[in-house]
Amino acid sequence: MNISTGRPVNASPIERGVHGIGYRPDVDGLRSIAVLSVLMFHAFPTVLPGGFIGVDIFFVISGFLISTILLDDLNRGRFNLLDFYSRRVRRIFPALSIVLTTTAVFGWFALLPEEYKELGKHVAGGAGFVSNLVLWQESGYFDSAAEMKPLLHLWSLGIEEQFYIVWPAILWAVFRFRLPNLPIILLVAALSFIANIVSVHANPVATFYSPFTRTWELLIGAVLAQVLIDGRSNHPSFFGAAANRMSASSLTAIAGSILIGAALACLSPASVFPGWRALFPSVGAALLILSASGNWINAKLLANRPMVWVGLISFPLYLWHWPLLAFARLIEGDTPNLEIRVSAVLAAFALATATYLLIETNVRRKWKSRAVTMTLTYIVCIVGMAGYSIYLYNGAPMREGIAMDAKIHEQLEGTTWKYTSNDICKAKYPANFRYFCTQTREGSPTMILLGDSYANALVAGLVANPATKDEVILSYGSCDPSASAGDPEIKTQCETQDKIISETPSLRYAILEAKWPRFDSAGRLIDYFTNIAVNDAAWAPRYRDGLDKRVSFLESKGIKVFLFGPKPEIDYEPKYCFARPFKQPVKNCQVTEAEVQDRQHELSLVLKDVLARHPNATFFDPNPAFCKDGTCSLKTQDGLPMLRDKVHYSQYGSGIAIDLFVKQVQREGYFTGH
């Protein structure tokens, strides 16, 4: 993110402060609070679970400094948009281009094709300052874990740069048409805050990444800039005079410190955020900036030399720390041990110091020509295009050291599962499908896959098997097979599926497969891997009745029902069961058959009840494809992964499961070719 603020005390006179406001070492100290909070949260999350609010502190600082520059230029009649963006380029592009380039180069040697492909997209997104929008669009069924994305942290830089694009134009229009500054700033901030409050529960991912729902935090800084500029005028308004009084009071800094401390202590990743909770760090940061630099907290705590130094290197420190931690997680396959994380933090400080002293200070103080600005712009554009090329070329799977394991890597498709949707399906069926709309051939469907991504994962095996490849197979939408979910979106998908089934007399077969729930002995729904009850309600009877109703509906249409049972699953990515650059396998992709049966026991009772009511339905147990002699392996005997991620069949695994399924049902007279 752009965390620029005032210049060091030994800077040239022109750069001593933000135009009319002198250099504030305490603001650099506040930046150090922000960056250290984020760094602690990322490296040692249990120590400071609320550390992510450091980003919100950065937003306020950035909004304050940028708005101060803009308002001062506009007041003096010397506003120049090209000059403004030139300063932004010299501030942001040097460190950003170095980090993006280094990340892409290291990824060439360290990452598997799917990982490198995703990194390429994020390099392009970072160079284009749209990382927040890219990450917003990525959230979904197959999204990889956030902590495994080396450029995840650039989402905040995207929000700030998008703010910088729009905000100067708004302020220019305010001055051009002689509108009152403060009411306009407050109005825009209020609209943004209201949107944040309204949407945070219904659309938490969108609220987190959307520039509009985060803009109010930067505008708190803009409000602060306006009232402080007003307070320095010969005839300050009521708000300017109030700001002067608050600035002189030591209570202002105390209140700000308490708000930030409360946010750090009380918030965690489980908190609904941003929402109203983001007021704590945002208002706290604003109060600390508003407080006079001579107040005790500002002068003694924030403005001491170590804090100021960390503040000065905070931008490159923020850029460097996360790729180092994320690469460590990727290579280790899990949270790295304490020694590795400490080493990553120390390396981040070293790289940030070098970046600041050798690059940033020279660009900002000595190399100020237009040629330097244009060169930096070209470099970032080239890096962005290189990243996009990596994405287009599927993560360069023919890299030395990677190509030799191509058969393994092509099964670990993760987010790039090719059977999610296709044009045949999208042209024939409603566009409101959830994730999945695939039809394997032209014509009227003869087989439909009902469920979710688990059902969709069977497409690969069905189209490859000689007995089923000629069926016209439809995989549409995502609907819990029991139709018992309370989610309105799921309900809509189920209703659309039922409508398609009712209007398609050619359908002869339906396969039901899903992320089957797990129940405890009391019939309560439990978490997949912790075995902790989600709630106290007995969900199993409701689920059984819903599944019974679903099967009855299908059979009433003359459709043969095949019920795919649960399979063994793991709580880590299968790629860690294979050697990768810099690391031998750290997992074995195995689980005991007893553990699998224990996990599936209560669900199996539910399925047996349903099947007893529907003797014409066929149950397929996939466990024999995985389990032998008491051990269930997610790797085949020839060393290929049965799963493409923690829970979904790989293409190879789908083929093996479907082969067993076909052999079973052929004995019942289905798919025999007659």
Side-chain angles (χ1 to χ4, degrees):
M1 68 185 62
N2 173 21
I3 3 179
S4 64
T5 182
R7 283 24 175 208
V9 290
N10 60 351
S12 63
I14 295 176
E15 294 200 5
R16 282 210 166 187
V18 181
H19 294 343
I21 298 178
Y23 171 65
R24 293 268 306 268
D26 57 308
V27 176
D28 271 330
L30 183 59
R31 288 198 305 166
S32 72
I33 294 291
V35 74
L36 291 174
S37 298
V38 174
L39 193 152
M40 285 292 292
F41 170 67
H42 286 159
F44 317 106
T46 58
V47 175
L48 197 65
F52 58 87
I53 60 95
V55 173
D56 304 271
I57 297 173
F58 281 139
F59 282 162
V60 175
I61 295 173
S62 185
F64 167 70
L65 293 165
I66 294 304
S67 296
T68 298
I69 293 171
L70 293 170
L71 289 168
D72 188 67
D73 283 346
L74 288 164
N75 282 326
R76 295 167 183 253
R78 62 185 190 190
F79 174 72
N80 185 305
L81 193 60
L82 184 60
D83 181 57
F84 171 78
Y85 286 125
S86 294
R87 291 198 299 269
R88 292 299 89 211
V89 166
R90 292 195 299 273
R91 174 69 185 106
I92 296 168
F93 282 21
L96 179 64
S97 60
I98 292 171
V99 171
L100 289 178
T101 302
T102 304
T103 302
V105 171
F106 186 75
W108 176 275
F109 298 101
L111 299 184
L112 303 178
E114 174 62 23
E115 297 165 345
Y116 199 45
K117 178 180 179 179
E118 183 179 70
L119 178 64
K121 179 171 62 172
H122 292 168
V123 167
F129 303 106
V130 292
S131 288
N132 57 316
L133 305 181
V134 172
L135 292 162
W136 178 0
Q137 294 302 314
E138 281 182 355
S139 63
Y141 257 59
F142 305 124
D143 190 26
S144 58
E147 64 269 19
M148 300 296 187
K149 298 178 179 181
L151 296 175
L152 175 80
H153 62 323
L154 296 187
W155 70 269
S156 58
L157 181 61
I159 285 177
E160 288 194 2
E161 294 308 307
Q162 290 152 24
F163 174 79
Y164 297 158
I165 291 172
V166 176
W167 189 233
I170 293 176
L171 284 183
W172 175 86
V174 168
F175 274 76
R176 174 68 175 79
F177 297 103
R178 301 181 183 278
L179 301 174
N181 295 1
L182 188 59
I184 295 297
I185 297 173
L186 288 171
L187 174 62
V188 179
L191 292 173
S192 171
F193 182 73
I194 291 170
N196 154 55
I197 294 295
V198 169
S199 62
V200 70
H201 289 281
N203 298 290
V205 175
T207 307
F208 190 88
Y209 286 126
S210 170
F212 184 65
T213 52
R214 302 305 289 260
T215 290
W216 65 272
E217 297 177 83
L218 290 115
L219 291 178
I220 285 179
V223 170
L224 188 60
Q226 174 60 38
V227 297
L228 285 178
I229 289 174
D230 183 12
R232 285 169 171 74
S233 66
N234 293 328
H235 303 287
S237 68
F238 168 80
F239 295 104
N244 289 339
R245 288 193 295 272
M246 292 181 68
S247 178
S249 172
S250 60
L251 294 178
T252 303
I254 293 172
S257 301
I258 290 173
L259 287 173
I260 291 176
L264 290 171
C266 299
L267 296 180
S268 74
S271 304
V272 177
F273 200 85
W276 61 268
R277 292 171 179 83
L279 285 169
F280 283 84
S282 302
V283 174
L287 290 174
L288 282 169
I289 297 172
L290 178 60
S291 180
S293 58
N295 286 335
W296 188 86
I297 290 177
N298 298 68
K300 301 299 182 182
L301 296 182
L302 296 180
N304 69 67
R305 286 186 177 274
M307 294 289 283
V308 170
W309 173 251
V310 174
L312 291 173
I313 66 169
S314 57
F315 181 47
L317 180 58
Y318 181 82
L319 290 182
W320 279 115
H321 87 281
W322 182 250
L324 292 169
L325 290 168
F327 275 125
R329 286 188 180 94
L330 280 163
I331 294 171
E332 289 295 308
D334 205 342
T335 300
N337 61 39
L338 182 62
E339 290 78 7
I340 292 176
R341 283 178 285 155
V342 169
S343 298
V345 169
L346 294 176
F349 270 96
L351 289 167
T353 300
T355 304
Y356 175 76
L357 293 177
L358 301 178
I359 306 297
E360 284 193 341
T361 54
N362 285 316
V363 170
R364 292 164 61 191
R365 296 181 193 176
K366 299 178 182 178
W367 307 333
K368 295 184 178 182
S369 68
R370 181 171 296 180
V372 170
T373 303
M374 293 303 298
T375 300
L376 289 169
T377 304
Y378 289 141
I379 289 172
V380 170
C381 288
I382 291 170
V383 172
M385 288 188 290
Y388 193 61
S389 298
I390 293 169
Y391 173 74
L392 290 179
Y393 285 96
N394 296 313
M398 298 311 294
R399 286 171 286 147
E400 185 178 356
I402 298 293
M404 61 188 298
D405 295 321
K407 285 186 177 181
I408 294 172
H409 301 320
E410 69 183 10
Q411 297 301 320
L412 302 172
E413 295 175 282
T415 60
T416 59
W417 182 248
K418 68 180 74 173
Y419 300 102
T420 303
S421 63
N422 64 11
D423 292 337
I424 297 175
C425 181
K426 289 189 286 188
K428 294 183 63 176
Y429 300 104
N432 67 339
F433 61 89
R434 186 171 184 259
Y435 300 117
F436 309 108
C437 186
T438 291
Q439 183 168 306
T440 56
R441 296 170 53 213
E442 292 285 359
S444 188
T446 59
M447 177 186 291
I448 189 167
L449 301 179
L450 301 175
D452 49 25
S453 56
Y454 284 54
N456 183 259
L458 300 176
V459 175
L462 289 167
V463 297
N465 193 284
T468 55
K469 64 182 180 64
D470 292 331
E471 299 289 338
V472 182
I473 303 165
L474 173 64
S475 173
Y476 179 90
S478 180
C479 167
D480 182 84
S482 78
S484 62
D487 188 330
E489 185 179 12
I490 299 296
K491 182 180 179 182
T492 300
Q493 296 294 303
C494 297
E495 291 172 347
T496 304
Q497 284 184 359
D498 288 349
K499 187 173 186 294
I500 291 173
I501 291 166
S502 296
E503 296 176 353
T504 311
S506 59
L507 281 172
R508 300 195 301 270
Y509 309 112
I511 293 179
L512 272 62
E513 161 74 300
K515 182 180 180 180
W516 297 111
R518 289 182 181 163
F519 305 111
D520 63 13
S521 57
R524 297 178 302 179
L525 188 67
I526 61 174
D527 182 82
Y528 244 47
F529 294 103
T530 65
N531 289 325
I532 298 174
V534 176
N535 53 52
D536 292 329
W539 191 265
R542 179 180 176 183
Y543 196 86
R544 177 199 60 210
D545 294 342
L547 187 57
D548 172 39
K549 181 180 177 181
R550 189 75 161 151
V551 175
S552 295
F553 168 74
L554 293 167
E555 291 185 336
S556 73
K557 302 298 180 182
I559 296 173
K560 168 66 179 178
V561 175
F562 301 107
L563 195 62
F564 267 62
K567 62 185 180 303
E569 294 173 356
I570 50 178
D571 59 355
Y572 50 85
E573 295 292 334
K575 63 188 176 184
Y576 295 114
C577 302
F578 303 90
R580 59 176 296 134
F582 306 132
K583 196 72 177 179
Q584 290 301 306
V586 294
K587 304 287 185 180
N588 61 14
C589 275
Q590 290 183 351
V591 62
T592 66
E593 191 168 5
E595 185 179 354
V596 170
Q597 291 175 350
D598 181 61
R599 287 179 179 177
Q600 299 174 355
H601 176 68
E602 301 301 329
L603 173 65
S604 68
L605 297 179
V606 171
L607 298 180
K608 284 179 181 178
D609 281 351
V610 174
L611 291 165
R613 301 178 188 184
H614 300 278
N616 292 325
T618 295
F619 177 75
F620 170 69
D621 179 10
N623 287 332
F626 298 87
C627 304
K628 183 180 180 182
D629 299 329
T631 299
C632 300
S633 176
L634 285 307
K635 291 169 64 174
T636 63
Q637 289 184 344
D638 50 359
L640 293 179
M642 288 283 285
L643 303 182
R644 72 176 188 267
D645 52 25
K646 298 177 184 179
V647 295
H648 297 96
Y649 286 112
S650 64
Q651 290 193 59
Y652 194 72
S654 179
I656 291 175
I658 291 300
D659 184 57
L660 286 179
F661 162 72
V662 165
K663 289 177 180 177
Q664 174 183 325
V665 299
Q666 280 180 335
R667 292 193 292 269
E668 300 177 20
Y670 298 100
F671 308 122
T672 59
H674 299 302

